Amino acid sequence: MTATIIDGKKVSSELKAALAQEVQQLTEAGVRPGLAVILVGEDPASQVYVRNKEKTCIDLGMHSEVHRLPADTPQADLIALIEKLNASDAIHGILVQKPLPGQIDEKAVIGAIAVEKDVDGFHPISIGNLLIGDEGFVPCTPAGVIELLRAYDIPLEGKRAAIIGRSNIVGKPMAALLIRENATVTVCHSRTANLPEVTREADIVIAAIGRPNMVTAEYIKPGAVVIDVGINRLPSGKLAGDVDFESAKEVASAITPVPGGVGPMTIALLMKNTVESARKALASRQ
Ligand code: NAD
C-alpha cells in the first residue's frame, strides 16, 4: 500500500493565508489582532519557538509583543505583567512559553491569564469548557491534528481512534476533541498492557509519546491513518517523530511526516485562536 503523506506545511500555509486576510479585515474594522508572548529565562529551544511565533505574527500582519524576562524573575512580577496584558486592548492572546524556571508555579501563572485571552487553551476553565462541550479555546496541537484530518477528508464519526500519550497539552485534549467528532476513543499510556494489540484495533492512531520511532508497523492496522505528534531530537541532531515512518507508511493509508506534519499546524492554530479572540473583542465593542 502506498500511504498518502499528510502535508502539514501545505495545510498550515493555506490556513495562514486565510488568516492573513481576516487580520486585514479586522484591522480595517479597528481591531488589529495582537499576541503577547512571555519568555522567562534563556532556554535555547524556547527562544527558537518564541522567535517563530513572533515571525508568524508579523507575517500575518498581526501585532506582536515579546516580553523577555530574566530567569530569576519573581512569580509576582510575571503575574503583574500578565494582569497588565489582560487589561490591554492591543492584546487578544497571551502565551507564557514553557518550561518556566523552578521558582515559578506554572499553574498559578496559567490561572492568571484571562480566559478570553487564553489562546494556548491551557487554562483550567478552557479545558473544562472543552470537556463539557462549551465554546472556548482548544490547545493548539490537538486542534491542529483535527484540522489536518479535516483537510484530508478523513472521516472520524464512528471510527476507532487510539491516542498514545495522556499529557494535559496533547493526549487528554486530543481525546476530548475526537469524542466531540463522534469517534470512539481509547487513550493509551506508559502503563497500557499489550499496547500494539490495542492500537491495532484503531482506524486512527495518534502518537504523542516523546520516544523516537517507537510506533512501528506492528502497532498499525493495515489501512489505518497515523498521526505523529512527536518531536524528538536525535543525538545526530536530526528530528524524529514517535512513529517509525519508514515501516509505518507501508501499512498505513495516510501518515504525517516529522518534520512537516503536525508541527507547522500548532503555530497556525495559535494564530487562529488569536484572530478569533480579536474577532470576539470587535463584536463585543459593536
Ligand atoms: P509528555 O511527556 O507530557 O507525555 C508523554 C505521554 O506518553 C505520557 O502520557 C506517557 O504515559 C506516554 N508514554 C511514555 N512512554 C510510553 C510508552 N513506552 N508507551 C506508551 N505510552 C508512553 O509529552 P507531551 O508533552 O504530550 O509530548 C509528546 C510528544 O509530542 C513529544 O515528542 C513532544 O515533543 C511532542 N509535541 C509536539 C508538539 C507539536 O507542536 N507538534 C506539541 C507538543 C508536544
Side-chain angles (χ1 to χ4, degrees):
M1 181 180 293
T2 319
T4 300
I5 309 298
I6 297 177
D7 187 347
K9 264 178 122 167
K10 178 168 167 271
V11 177
S12 66
S13 297
E14 287 163 4
L15 177 56
K16 284 188 285 187
L19 286 173
Q21 283 192 357
E22 208 172 339
V23 168
Q24 199 184 339
Q25 286 161 5
L26 285 166
T27 305
E28 281 162 12
V31 176
R32 185 177 181 210
L35 176 68
V37 177
I38 306 174
L39 174 62
V40 187
E42 280 158 20
D43 177 67
S46 294
Q47 289 185 357
V48 175
Y49 294 144
V50 167
R51 268 202 302 276
N52 283 343
K53 286 165 188 165
E54 185 179 23
K55 183 179 176 298
T56 309
C57 271
I58 293 166
D59 287 349
L60 298 190
M62 292 163 57
H63 168 63
S64 164
E65 275 178 24
V66 179
H67 297 265
R68 291 184 170 82
L69 306 182
D72 61 357
T73 299
Q75 178 171 314
D77 290 8
L78 174 56
I79 291 184
L81 172 60
I82 292 173
E83 283 167 356
K84 215 175 92 196
L85 296 167
N86 282 344
S88 163
D89 284 341
I91 294 300
H92 306 97
I94 301 170
L95 181 150
V96 181
Q97 187 65 45
K98 281 154 281 280
L100 288 167
Q103 77 277 13
I104 293 174
D105 172 13
E106 198 176 296
K107 276 192 190 169
V109 168
I110 295 174
I113 298 173
V115 179
E116 63 277 13
K117 297 190 180 186
D118 174 39
V119 288
D120 240 352
F122 295 156
H123 192 291
I125 293 180
S126 303
I127 297 285
N129 281 334
L130 171 62
L131 277 181
I132 63 175
D134 271 3
E135 211 186 298
F137 290 118
V138 172
C140 302
T141 300
V145 170
I146 297 287
E147 292 277 338
L148 267 186
L149 293 167
R150 276 205 195 117
Y152 280 79
D153 291 325
I154 292 165
L156 297 174
E157 182 157 327
K159 298 294 176 189
R160 286 194 180 193
I163 302 161
I164 318 174
R166 57 175 164 184
S167 71
N168 288 334
I169 63 166
V170 189
K172 285 183 200 163
M174 190 76 251
L177 282 173
L178 286 166
I179 292 170
R180 195 160 89 175
E181 299 294 328
N182 298 318
T184 303
V185 181
T186 304
V187 181
C188 310
H189 46 77
S190 53
R191 310 284 174 87
T192 298
N194 306 322
L195 181 60
E197 225 170 82
V198 178
T199 56
R200 267 204 310 271
E201 296 275 308
D203 305 301
I204 300 146
V205 176
I206 299 178
I209 314 162
R211 290 180 175 245
N213 305 321
M214 191 186 103
V215 178
T216 53
E218 183 207 355
Y219 287 66
I220 296 153
K221 177 170 81 174
V225 173
V226 178
I227 304 290
D228 189 354
V229 180
I231 302 179
N232 307 291
R233 180 78 59 188
L234 298 176
S236 66
K238 262 185 78 175
L239 283 186
D242 291 340
V243 175
D244 177 30
F245 183 80
E246 290 307 321
S247 80
K249 79 174 190 332
E250 299 302 321
V251 283
S253 61
I255 184 167
T256 59
V258 175
V262 175
M265 294 302 291
T266 299
I267 202 160
L269 267 288
L270 174 67
M271 301 301 145
K272 184 171 185 244
N273 282 352
T274 307
V275 169
E276 193 179 311
S277 175
R279 202 187 313 123
K280 284 188 186 145
L282 177 65
S284 73
R285 263 203 218 167
Q286 287 165 343

